[in-house]
Amino acid sequence: KKVNFKLRDWGVSRQRYWGAPIPFVHCKTCGLVPEKLENLPVALPDDVEITGEGNPLDLHPTWKHCSCPKCGQSAIRETDTLDTFVQSSWYFLRYATNHKKWQTEGISKEDSDYWMDVDQYIGGIEHAILHLLYARFFTKVLKDLGYTNSNEPFKRLLTQGMVLKDGAKMSKSKGNVVDPDILIEKYGADTARMFILFAAPPTKELEWNDSAVEGAYKFI
């Protein structure tokens, strides 16, 4: 047997608006300083302008200007946000705790013990490696830190099949997407649901077929 280590360092910063702000401040005197706990979470500005050029947070006129948590002098807030994988790697633990309790105590161990581990995770094949791997990383770290007793996030995985059209995966970039609004307007939502459910088992690819949609409509 041989073990191959193919993971590399993970660059988690992104130059975009969507994502959790990285809670650090750049100070000319103190260098890179973590934000104080009482100032967390750092909230994104509501009046950001998305132009498609550069980092919107870096271009915002006021949001990035703050005081150094260490010396109190004028400083610049880190404008990179965290990769959205960081948030999606532990959201299931957040969902286990109701909003009111979450505001006062964060992840509730009592709720985590009741709801975790997730009985069945359903997702596309594109999430079967990285997202599930990161979810395990975060769960184990949060267990080591004492936030949860859960050691494994998911008991079972159901990898759903892709929807294909003309032999290729449906995607906006390929332009082979079927508009559900047009379909629903013509046949109704139940027809669309029925075709999708009966065309293939949930774990297999589904080849889109307009005539089969017509057949489902006639059957209903």
Side-chain angles (χ1 to χ4, degrees), residues 86-146:
V86 173
Q87 289 98 72
S88 66
S89 294
W90 64 278
Y91 70 90
F92 37 87
L93 284 164
R94 163 66 184 91
Y95 284 172
T97 303
N98 71 49
H99 187 63
K100 190 175 181 181
K101 195 185 288 186
W102 170 261
Q103 289 180 313
T104 57
E105 61 180 275
I107 295 171
S108 164
K109 255 190 176 180
E110 180 187 2
D111 293 336
S112 174
D113 286 346
Y114 179 82
W115 289 106
M116 295 296 290
D117 304 330
V118 175
D119 293 304
Q120 179 146 292
Y121 183 97
I122 302 172
I125 191 67
E126 70 273 19
H127 291 156
I129 301 174
L130 290 182
H131 169 56
L132 296 180
L133 193 67
Y134 298 152
R136 293 189 73 218
F137 287 171
F138 273 69
T139 300
K140 289 175 183 294
V141 167
L142 289 168
K143 184 190 178 188
D144 290 347
L145 291 172

Side-chain angles (χ1 to χ4, degrees), residues 66-86:
C66 62
S67 300
C68 174
K70 194 172 182 181
C71 70
Q73 294 185 64
S74 296
I76 298 293
R77 191 179 300 286
E78 174 58 56
T79 57
D80 280 7
T81 54
L82 289 167
D83 180 0
T84 50
F85 263 124
V86 173

Side-chain angles (χ1 to χ4, degrees), residues 18-32:
W18 301 111
I22 298 174
F24 277 85
V25 169
H26 299 272
C27 175
K28 289 183 179 178
T29 304
C30 307
L32 189 63

